[in-house]
Amino acid sequence: MNVTIIGCGYVGLVTAACLADVGNDVCCFDVDRDKIDLLESGGIPIHEPGLHEIVARNKAAGRLSFTTDPHRAMTQREAIFIAVGTPSGEDGSADLQYVLAAASEIGRYIEGFTVVVDKSTVPVGTARRVRGAIAEQLAQRGVDCMFSVVSNPEFLKEGAAIEDFTRPERIVVGCDEDVPGERARETMKRLYAPFNRNRERMLFMDVRSAEFTKYAANAMLATRISFMNELANLAERVGADIESVRRGIGSDPRIGYHFLYAGCGYGGSCFPKDVRALMQTAQDYGHSLRILDAVSSVNAAQKQVLVNKIVARFGEDLSGCVFGVWGLAFKPGTDDMREAPSRVVIGALLERGARVVAYDPVSMKEAKRAFAADLRSEPAALARLTFVEDQMDVAAAADALVVLTEWKAFKSPDFDSLKARLKQPIVFDGRNLYEPSAMEEIGIEYYSIGRPRSGAPLHEEALQPRGAAVAAYGR
Ligand code: NAD
């Protein structure tokens, strides 16, 4: 099949590579000339395991091409995917300018029946606006050609995107119930057939429900994380260990283990913006999503929890302190820095005068760009942030190590060597990677999320509810 993908980001590039790999002729179109030049010269603009090989293989086979020429990209294509960004607008709603620009571009060039596939995460009702933008351009050209807009939200996870695309748990497709919609449904079935062989994974529904499904999925996952973070903060106060609690509840098949890890908050390109966009959609319809309000504010507060622990240990003024940081990307397996908790935590340490020495296995280039943007009006703070190429070097003469991303390489480090390098053997762990008792044995002062601190047995009085403790002291 002849397919075009508009937008060569995490979603567009993975979709293009995987569709080409099963024999389709795929053209990738992007407005970013540097990105297209890089792709044409054999480079890959993002870090995604396995992607480089698939892109190279299919480019060499002539099934995958890259262009900034809309005429070449949009004509004589059976399906055109829109996979451009939908960042948060000022009010939190999804900014649809890139989606609608892509739709207009489609309308300016298509000549025959085309299935337009909305893969970007877009609010309910966007397909109708995309249809309108295409129809407007067709009318201006005086061209009468049939097309259908389907919603096909993407559920891939950065870091496991190839596996998720080629072995999806489900393929959600929203189609209209008219003649073009029926044709589009058949096209989508043919396109996804290679990924749908071992069992039926395609879930057909109406367009609005498909658009809603993506937001519902991300809102649910974000809710689970904020729920556990909220409980983690209580666990610390009542002397419980949130990791034991996680195992205790995750073993219930009605709950399951996924997305129950307490930590220093969720980030990334999807959860924060999609939760905000769904809340804004609700507001537009005069409805309030109170749970998501809480999910969002719990997450914002959670990004400060580690900072609060550091300030409680070192004081409000951190000038003169040096902190080594392991992990900058919002999660392992990606170089994506969008809304990464590291930006908040490191920003707060720098703001209090600290020096920060940071390391991440893949996201340092992106991180440098992100911090340069975050701190463009504070050059003195930016100058106190440095990056090193060896993970152990962050510890050299540092007052403490701060762990912000759960990369494999951080899970079982040489603690003796770490201890020897740190000025003080102190670790603040935002991902609960280590056992508090093991850290105590090694002689490391260890702070994590939702677990009793090593070496500091809590006094029974401290574990009383506030009112009861006050009453006890009063006696
Ligand atoms: P991205 O920012 O990595 O890439 C978007 C690309 O679109 C950029 O290369 C940009 O130059 C290009 N672009 C913008 N306007 C264009 C236009 N008019 N014509 C051609 N190209 C244009 O975005 P992403 O992370 O791939 O996300 C894309 C969409 O998929 C978003 O709606 C996102 O919410 C959704 N999504 C993302 C993920 C993820 O893990 N990243 C997962 C599922 C869904």
Side-chain angles (χ1 to χ4, degrees):
M1 211 180 280
N2 280 335
V3 180
T4 281
I5 312 289
I6 304 182
C8 296
Y10 289 85
V11 169
L13 209 47
V14 168
T15 304
C18 295
L19 288 178
D21 213 30
V22 294
N24 296 294
D25 178 338
V26 182
C27 175
C28 295
F29 169 75
D30 203 294
V31 288
D32 184 339
R33 175 162 285 286
D34 291 345
K35 207 175 249 193
I36 293 297
D37 287 346
L38 179 70
L39 285 159
E40 282 200 305
S41 65
I44 297 283
I46 54 170
H47 173 86
E48 187 57 51
L51 184 59
H52 197 282
E53 293 78 356
I54 304 184
V55 168
R57 180 163 74 227
N58 287 282
K59 223 173 117 217
R63 287 192 297 265
L64 188 58
S65 59
F66 303 97
T67 186
T68 52
D69 174 2
H71 182 264
R72 189 183 138 203
M74 313 291 171
T75 46
Q76 296 181 349
R77 296 278 145 181
E78 287 166 82
I80 300 180
F81 282 72
I82 300 177
V84 300
T86 46
S88 283
E90 273 181 16
D91 59 359
S93 63
D95 180 351
L96 293 179
Q97 61 168 310
Y98 307 107
V99 169
L100 295 175
S104 297
E105 206 74 288
I106 294 171
R108 272 194 282 276
Y109 292 98
I110 56 170
E111 288 159 348
F113 179 74
T114 309
V115 178
V116 176
V117 186
D118 218 335
K119 207 165 220 351
S120 296
T121 302
V122 289
V124 174
T126 301
R128 192 175 50 80
R129 295 180 65 185
V130 166
R131 202 176 304 128
I134 297 172
E136 194 182 318
Q137 293 300 323
L138 289 174
Q140 276 185 24
R141 287 164 61 206
V143 172
D144 182 18
C145 102
M146 221 169 42
F147 66 95
S148 183
V149 179
V150 308
S151 168
N152 172 217
E154 182 52 59
F155 297 96
L156 62 76
K157 301 181 285 297
E158 286 177 20
I162 304 288
E163 174 74 8
D164 287 345
F165 193 92
T166 51
R167 293 170 191 268
E169 275 138 12
R170 78 291 210 195
I171 301 161
V172 170
V173 179
C175 294
D176 287 329
E177 285 194 358
D178 52 12
V179 173
E182 280 303 316
R183 254 177 99 172
R185 173 197 280 252
E186 292 311 312
T187 303
M188 295 303 280
K189 272 190 191 164
R190 276 196 291 135
L191 203 51
Y192 277 110
F195 312 105
N196 193 36
R197 287 171 71 85
N198 119 315
R199 66 175 166 83
E200 183 53 76
R201 292 173 160 101
M202 297 198 77
L203 295 174
F204 285 100
M205 57 185 75
D206 66 275
V207 174
R208 293 174 86 85
S209 301
E211 290 171 333
F212 203 154
T213 299
K214 174 66 191 176
Y215 283 102
N218 277 355
M220 169 62 98
L221 296 174
T223 300
R224 285 171 70 97
I225 296 173
S226 275
F227 176 78
M228 286 307 279
N229 281 335
E230 185 114 283
L231 292 194
N233 297 332
L234 178 60
E236 283 180 19
R237 285 165 178 75
V238 301
D241 181 336
I242 198 68
E243 272 301 295
S244 303
V245 175
R246 179 185 68 77
R247 288 193 290 272
I249 63 172
S251 53
D252 182 336
R254 292 170 303 175
I255 297 173
Y257 289 105
H258 293 296
F259 285 82
L260 288 188
Y261 288 94
C264 50
Y266 61 75
S269 65
C270 294
F271 288 3
K273 87 169 169 62
D274 293 350
V275 167
R276 284 193 293 267
L278 189 54
M279 283 159 65
Q280 188 57 40
T281 298
Q283 205 172 317
D284 292 346
Y285 283 79
H287 184 71
S288 130
L289 291 175
R290 287 160 294 172
I291 288 181
L292 292 192
D293 229 336
V295 166
S296 199
S297 57
V298 165
N299 192 55
Q302 197 65 21
K303 290 183 179 178
Q304 293 291 342
V305 162
L306 220 48
V307 178
N308 297 343
K309 287 176 194 270
I310 293 170
V311 166
R313 175 64 177 77
F314 288 94
E316 195 60 54
D317 179 6
L318 297 177
S319 49
C321 292
V322 181
F323 295 98
V325 169
W326 275 356
L328 299 165
F330 86 92
K331 68 171 187 178
T334 183
D335 59 351
D336 204 331
M337 286 295 297
R338 288 178 277 188
E339 307 214 26
S342 66
R343 294 172 78 158
V344 175
V345 175
I346 292 175
L349 298 179
L350 294 171
E351 194 183 305
R352 287 171 172 78
R355 265 203 333 109
V356 174
V357 183
Y359 168 81
D360 187 284
V362 304
S363 75
M364 298 240 277
K365 201 167 130 209
E366 281 304 308
K368 283 175 191 168
R369 225 195 314 251
F371 283 106
D374 289 355
L375 299 169
R376 66 182 160 270
S377 58
E378 293 164 77
L382 185 61
R384 289 198 304 278
L385 171 62
T386 50
F387 299 87
V388 288
E389 295 295 331
D390 183 314
Q391 72 181 62
M392 279 302 181
D393 286 349
V394 306
D399 291 280
L401 173 72
V402 184
V403 183
L404 297 178
T405 315
E406 64 274 35
W407 287 98
K408 266 196 199 129
F410 304 151
K411 287 188 176 166
S412 191
D414 178 343
F415 284 113
D416 290 332
S417 158
L418 189 66
K419 215 179 132 186
R421 284 163 201 244
L422 285 166
K423 197 154 66 179
Q424 309 188 63
I426 305 177
V427 172
F428 292 90
D429 179 2
R431 299 296 173 183
N432 287 354
L433 294 189
Y434 315 122
E435 268 308 315
S437 56
M439 298 300 269
E440 192 180 349
E441 250 169 56
I442 298 165
I444 289 180
E445 191 179 319
Y446 179 58
Y447 300 83
S448 56
I449 309 282
R451 299 187 298 175
R453 194 169 74 69
S454 65
L458 287 164
H459 297 293
E460 274 305 313
E461 285 90 351
L463 297 180
Q464 299 298 317
R466 276 227 176 131
V470 169
Y473 285 123
R475 272 205 296 274

